[in-house]
Amino acid sequence: MKRFDLIAVASRLQTKVMGRPLVYAPRLTSTQDLAARLATRGWPEGAAVLAEEQTAGRGRQGRSWWAPPGGALLLSLLLRPTLPPSQARQLTIAAGLAAAESIEDVCAVPVELKWPNDLYIRGRKVGGILVESRLSPDGRALDHAIVGIGINVTVDFANQPALQAIATSLHVEASHPVEREVLLLTLLERWETRYEAALAGKPCHVEWASRLLWLGKQVLVVTPEGPLVGTAVGVSEEGALLIRRPNGEVEVIWAGEVFPVEREK
Ligand code: BTN
């Protein structure tokens, strides 16, 4: 396994805040866990945690997130956003855009997003984003948020029949080898720009929507309240998915998993 070259990253880091400091560990339960501990110990906004391997990596909706040692970019960023809790979804939107842009910068392949924040290349998932936030004691503000980003770089799904058809890795999709150090540096820069814009209240949901899979199509959404079928007609400025039901009503969806529905010919 080729370990992360931290000296190369430190010497080329151009950001003002993001990735400063950068904490590296060969193996963690989850980069989210260490970032959360740093948050409660008062570490500053921008602190980043990077690991080669996670023994209990996690995704959205209680799912686990797996990657072999050294095969993925596994990153968590500690933020102290001056956003009202009702705007926390802006972090998801900004992170999805920054991750998509950084992959495109490095690999020159188009990246799409599956609402709310899965990264897709040519119909297969290449990465995901998990935002975990904690409210201030009075519940009126965000104390901190941790944005976790996982991107498959050299993960080989060839011998994993269950994942082969649905997951991919940058080394398969790019026409040249991808260095995790370059991807990390690009991601931190893209993220800093997107995060500043989010804090400044600049809406980017239209740009986000332009990358979303299946807009205008018939979808099944499995929500915590149950499944529903309809046409994905757009997203709200706050990041909710808008589904038009067969009776014409538009449902506003905040959580769930989206699947395409094949129409009978
Ligand atoms: C998803 O696809 O549901 C989100 C996956 C997020 C995975 C990343 S890897 C770095 C960070 N640490 C974790 O345990 N999860 C996120």
Side-chain angles (χ1 to χ4, degrees):
M1 180 189 91
K2 187 170 169 280
R3 286 199 173 210
F4 228 94
D5 185 347
L6 289 171
I7 294 173
V9 172
S11 63
R12 288 152 67 189
L13 189 60
Q14 307 249 317
T15 54
K16 289 178 284 190
V17 172
M18 296 302 157
R20 298 181 185 278
L22 183 63
V23 179
Y24 169 86
R27 183 194 248 201
L28 292 171
T29 52
S30 159
T31 53
Q32 298 289 100
D33 295 339
L34 179 52
R37 285 203 296 280
L38 300 182
T40 53
R41 286 184 210 149
W43 280 49
E45 167 153 286
V49 177
L50 191 67
E52 300 286 2
E53 183 186 4
Q54 300 183 119
T55 54
R58 56 182 179 269
R60 287 175 55 243
Q61 308 205 308
R63 285 188 303 249
S64 62
W65 171 270
W66 171 85
L73 181 67
L74 306 170
L75 174 71
S76 293
L77 287 155
L78 167 57
L79 307 166
R80 301 196 180 275
T82 51
L83 287 172
S86 61
Q87 290 296 316
R89 182 58 68 89
Q90 297 306 322
L91 300 175
T92 299
I93 298 176
L97 286 169
E101 289 162 348
S102 59
I103 294 172
E104 289 179 350
D105 288 348
V106 173
C107 303
V109 287
V111 178
E112 293 177 296
L113 300 171
K114 181 167 94 96
W115 184 89
N117 48 10
D118 286 347
L119 301 158
Y120 270 64
I121 299 179
R122 299 183 185 113
R124 292 194 171 100
K125 180 164 170 171
V126 73
I129 292 159
L130 175 69
V131 180
E132 296 178 317
S133 41
R134 163 91 64 95
L135 296 178
S136 60
D138 66 6
R140 294 206 189 139
L142 288 171
D143 176 77
H144 68 261
I146 293 166
V147 172
I149 303 176
I151 301 174
N152 300 325
V153 180
T154 55
V155 186
D156 189 356
F157 293 102
N159 295 321
Q160 301 199 45
L163 293 176
Q164 200 177 14
I166 54 171
T168 192
S169 221
L170 296 184
H171 82 140
V172 175
E173 303 297 339
S175 54
H176 54 82
V178 176
E179 287 179 18
R180 286 185 300 165
E181 292 78 2
V182 176
L183 182 63
L184 173 66
L185 286 162
T186 313
L187 177 56
L188 290 172
E189 282 169 33
R190 286 287 194 174
W191 165 250
E192 189 158 277
T193 306
R194 286 286 175 188
Y195 181 60
E196 281 172 5
L199 292 191
K202 292 191 187 142
C204 54
H205 63 290
V206 175
E207 240 183 304
W208 189 56
S210 73
R211 287 186 183 269
L212 287 181
L213 287 164
W214 311 314
L215 278 197
K217 302 262 167 61
Q218 188 87 343
V219 292
L220 162 72
V221 192
V222 179
T223 76
E225 292 78 38
L228 63 92
V229 172
T231 308
V233 287
V235 290
S236 70
E237 195 167 327
E238 295 77 24
L241 181 64
L242 307 177
I243 301 288
R244 188 183 301 120
R245 303 299 304 275
N247 66 5
E249 279 177 18
V250 174
E251 298 247 9
V252 180
I253 309 293
W254 285 100
E257 199 66 36
V258 186
F259 303 91
V261 174
E262 286 294 321
R263 288 228 162 157
E264 282 180 37
K265 301 234 166 83

